[in-house]
Amino acid sequence: MNISRGPGQAPKYQRLAADLRRRIMGGEWQGGTPLPVESELENQYGVARNTVRLAVDVLVNEGLLVRVQGKGTYLKDHPVLDHHAYRAPSDPELGSPGTSLRSAFAAYAEEAAAAGRKLTSDFQMLIVRATTDITDRLRIEPGEAVVLRRMLRYMDGEPWSVEESHYPVGLAASTALMAPDPVVGGDEMALADAGYLETGCVDELCARMPNPEEAQWFQAGPGVPLLVQLRTGYTESGPVRVTETRYSADRNRLIYSLGSLGGLDAPSVRSAEVFSEIGDLGAPAEI
Amino acid sequence: MNISRGPGQAPKYQRLAADLRRRIMGGEWQGGTPLPVESELENQYGVARNTVRLAVDVLVNEGLLVRVQGKGTYLKDHPVLDHHAYRAPSDPELGSPGTSLRSAFAAYAEEAAAAGRKLTSDFQMLIVRATTDITDRLRIEPGEAVVLRRMLRYMDGEPWSVEESHYPVGLAASTALMAPDPVVGGDEMALADAGYLETGCVDELCARMPNPEEAQWFQAGPGVPLLVQLRTGYTESGPVRVTETRYSADRNRLIYSLGSLGGLDAPSVRSAEVFSEIGDLGAPAEI
DNA sequence: GGTGATTTGTGCGTATGTATT
DNA sequence: TAATACATACGCACAAATCAC
């Protein structure tokens, strides 16, 4: 197939990308199978190598392909793991119906085990001056010191997610949260022991591309965004902690069970699915 | 400043990108201010234009910069709008404490108005064969027909989010959901009128890069992921609808108020904040 | 309204480096 | 070691969009 650029047409590399996308979606290559090498694509389409690379760049940045130097270019496959970020108290799958928050790590590890995978973690405890992101939510003074408890999570040894919990130093002072080790039973148990029973939380969710440090840690190539959950935990008398968790979005999905599910099981849906296939939306309205 | 490549160093374009990132983070240019033009950067750093473009590509794909043909390259600014995806019934800001779900559009429009912005929408109603994404969650047969009600939302005329609600045809048949118009009071009211009172839902959240159609509709350049919310609504007797909402992640944040917040206001936090600044994570563990 | 200068976008060619097989 | 395949880097030319005049 030869691509020649006519007037009014999209650029070559974009049409090449579109054609490759079509062939990919058509199942011409399976996950893990290499695409034709760049020189082969040059010949197939009769374009310069630069143009091939521009086209493949597009698909890499969409998260469809991954390039490996010296080997080839491959379809990316998406084994997605669900993580239950919240279960309503009425949810029957919840062990203790009275509490809405469980030991996060234990629950996460159970989910991983259920999927036949092994969750491990590294732990760091630091005392830092909080940014306004944190102080605003904790309702403390800007620049005030907070206890930062960081959990680096690995799935089968692969970097998976980063959780950073921030506590006001005054609050954490007399608790197990000052120890440079994970609290058995979870941080929320240490909080509860100190009289701070978390009764609710506010989650703020966003997605963005990783910065270089994050990309390196997550081993996330181009086209892989982060899913960021910022949870502020509340007692009856106010906020007590802010937890920011970052997930590599191509491997993770967050689940919230809300309200009453009427005694039904949570839906069991295959994990590998991707929601896509937008129909024709028409042109966007002019601004 | 001249960048010369030594052995064992990172490639020129990556170090150039890192230096530009440093200057950007250092506040050398403000949001909306153009960066030096490519030829200027060639001279400043003593590299080929290609190298400059590779470096800028990196930052564009991180969502830091945006290029405008014929004008220049600019810092992207991030006016983020919060959207309350869920409020716990005990949340005092909820108008009617008995129901956990409000008319989504009305609530959304109120939030927008509170931020001094205007939410508009287009509406489409289609009957389509559902994908397994949908049928699995609705517990109907694969390929069964569903009513697809699509809401295209614009903020101040700018493409903002796409909401697609799917209902089993049998369920929707005798309701206002078959009409090719938005239901006053919201779809959930039409459902309730037909005896299907939604008592809970399960939200599945993920993020990914947009496909070409989505990127075009959202006018999302490289480096802008989508935040996707897939909500399955339940009555006491089972699921009745699946709603997929796609947000341009650089402009939106989803908020979930969960559990009891003890009569406290939802936290009022400036919208423009970005959570970033990962500390040193150390090297990831080997696989 | 048109013209030219500026700036990014597209496309080609070539050469060499680096990782994998 | 050699071949293969992607990565980096240089150069050049022209197209297309924007803006100042």
Side-chain angles (χ1 to χ4, degrees):
Chain A
M1 174 184 178
N2 191 306
I3 289 191
S4 60
R5 173 154 197 194
Q9 292 201 22
K12 270 188 188 178
Y13 78 97
Q14 288 182 14
R15 283 177 294 140
L16 210 176
D19 195 62
L20 289 175
R21 198 184 294 111
R22 182 188 58 74
R23 294 171 70 181
I24 290 168
M25 295 306 186
E28 186 158 340
W29 306 288
Q30 302 304 321
T33 314
L35 261 65
V37 300
E38 293 178 349
S39 58
E40 166 74 21
L41 291 176
E42 291 179 47
N43 298 333
Q44 280 188 22
Y45 291 94
V47 298
R49 167 132 188 261
N50 210 322
T51 308
V52 170
R53 285 188 67 79
L54 282 174
V56 175
D57 277 347
V58 171
L59 302 180
V60 167
N61 287 325
E62 285 177 16
L64 275 178
L65 300 179
V66 53
R67 282 200 269 225
V68 184
Q69 183 173 354
K71 292 184 67 176
T73 304
Y74 299 85
L75 254 70
K76 210 194 289 184
D77 43 0
H78 283 268
V80 177
L81 187 65
D82 286 343
H83 176 48
H84 283 81
Y86 183 81
R87 288 186 203 268
S90 62
D91 190 318
E93 288 201 8
L94 178 64
S96 45
T99 49
S100 60
L101 301 168
R102 312 203 281 175
S103 163
F105 186 78
Y108 202 169
E110 284 169 27
E111 285 176 339
R117 312 193 65 170
K118 185 166 169 51
L119 181 69
T120 56
S121 67
D122 288 338
F123 181 85
Q124 302 170 2
M125 181 275 196
L126 307 89
I127 294 183
V128 300
R129 300 217 171 274
T131 61
T132 53
D133 292 357
I134 306 301
T135 57
D136 284 354
R137 290 171 178 80
L138 285 178
R139 299 181 194 162
I140 61 179
E141 292 304 310
E144 195 169 318
V146 294
V147 173
L148 168 57
R149 298 172 65 83
R150 178 185 288 151
M151 183 96 78
L152 305 170
R153 298 186 184 129
Y154 306 87
M155 196 67 69
D156 294 334
E158 187 181 2
W160 202 257
S161 62
V162 177
E163 180 184 280
E164 295 184 336
S165 293
H166 303 77
Y167 303 88
V169 167
L171 188 151
S174 57
T175 72
L177 298 175
M178 292 299 282
D181 309 286
V183 176
V184 179
D187 285 5
E188 60 274 29
M189 180 163 295
L191 271 181
D193 287 346
Y196 297 99
L197 181 65
E198 264 190 35
T199 57
C201 61
V202 173
D203 279 12
E204 304 171 55
L205 291 154
C206 68
R208 58 178 171 80
M209 300 311 288
N211 64 37
E213 293 82 18
E214 291 168 334
Q216 189 192 0
W217 190 82
F218 282 101
Q219 300 182 343
V224 179
L226 298 185
L227 182 57
V228 182
Q229 175 200 43
L230 192 73
R231 169 167 291 184
T232 306
Y234 288 83
T235 67
E236 293 294 334
S237 55
V240 289
R241 68 160 162 177
V242 173
T243 300
E244 178 179 354
T245 311
R246 287 176 275 233
Y247 301 90
S248 181
D250 64 339
R251 307 194 277 261
N252 288 283
R253 192 162 50 176
L254 291 185
I255 315 286
Y256 287 78
S257 297
L258 305 165
S260 164
L261 297 182
L264 299 162
D265 290 353
S268 61
V269 174
R270 283 187 300 112
S271 285
E273 284 169 25
V274 179
F275 343 128
S276 63
E277 299 177 43
I278 208 168
D280 182 19
L281 302 178
E286 292 301 318
I287 302 182
Chain B
M1 176 182 177
N2 193 306
I3 290 191
S4 60
R5 174 155 195 191
Q9 291 202 22
K12 270 190 189 177
Y13 79 95
Q14 288 182 16
R15 283 177 293 140
L16 210 177
D19 195 63
L20 289 175
R21 198 185 293 110
R22 181 188 59 73
R23 294 171 70 181
I24 289 168
M25 296 307 185
E28 188 158 340
W29 306 288
Q30 302 304 319
T33 313
L35 260 66
V37 300
E38 292 176 350
S39 59
E40 167 74 21
L41 291 175
E42 291 180 47
N43 298 334
Q44 281 188 22
Y45 291 94
V47 297
R49 174 155 180 237
N50 210 323
T51 308
V52 170
R53 286 189 65 81
L54 281 175
V56 174
D57 277 346
V58 171
L59 303 181
V60 167
N61 287 326
E62 286 176 16
L64 275 179
L65 299 180
V66 53
R67 283 200 268 226
V68 184
Q69 183 174 354
K71 291 185 68 176
T73 304
Y74 299 84
L75 254 72
K76 210 196 286 184
D77 44 359
H78 282 268
V80 177
L81 187 65
D82 286 343
H83 176 48
H84 282 82
Y86 183 80
R87 288 185 203 267
S90 62
D91 191 318
E93 287 201 10
L94 178 64
S96 45
T99 48
S100 60
L101 302 168
R102 310 203 282 174
S103 164
F105 186 78
Y108 204 168
E110 284 168 27
E111 286 176 338
R117 311 193 64 169
K118 184 167 168 53
L119 181 69
T120 56
S121 67
D122 287 338
F123 181 85
Q124 301 170 2
M125 182 275 197
L126 306 89
I127 294 183
V128 300
R129 300 216 170 276
T131 62
T132 53
D133 291 357
I134 306 300
T135 57
D136 285 354
R137 291 172 177 80
L138 285 177
R139 299 182 194 161
I140 60 179
E141 293 304 311
E144 195 168 318
V146 295
V147 173
L148 168 56
R149 299 172 65 82
R150 178 184 289 152
M151 184 95 80
L152 306 171
R153 298 186 185 129
Y154 306 87
M155 196 67 69
D156 293 333
E158 187 182 2
W160 202 256
S161 63
V162 177
E163 181 184 279
E164 294 184 335
S165 292
H166 304 77
Y167 304 88
V169 167
L171 188 150
S174 58
T175 71
L177 298 174
M178 292 299 281
D181 309 286
V183 176
V184 179
D187 284 7
E188 60 274 27
M189 180 163 294
L191 271 181
D193 287 347
Y196 297 99
L197 181 65
E198 265 189 35
T199 55
C201 60
V202 174
D203 279 12
E204 302 171 57
L205 291 155
C206 68
R208 59 176 173 78
M209 299 311 287
N211 65 35
E213 293 81 17
E214 292 168 334
Q216 189 193 0
W217 190 82
F218 282 102
Q219 300 181 344
V224 178
L226 298 185
L227 181 58
V228 183
Q229 175 200 44
L230 193 74
R231 169 167 292 184
T232 306
Y234 287 85
T235 66
E236 292 295 334
S237 55
V240 289
R241 69 161 161 177
V242 173
T243 300
E244 179 179 355
T245 311
R246 286 175 275 232
Y247 300 90
S248 180
D250 64 339
R251 305 193 279 259
N252 287 283
R253 192 162 50 176
L254 291 184
I255 315 286
Y256 286 77
S257 297
L258 305 165
S260 164
L261 297 182
L264 299 163
D265 289 354
S268 59
V269 174
R270 283 187 301 114
S271 285
E273 284 171 25
V274 178
F275 343 126
S276 64
E277 301 179 40
I278 208 168
D280 182 19
L281 301 177
E286 292 301 318
I287 302 182

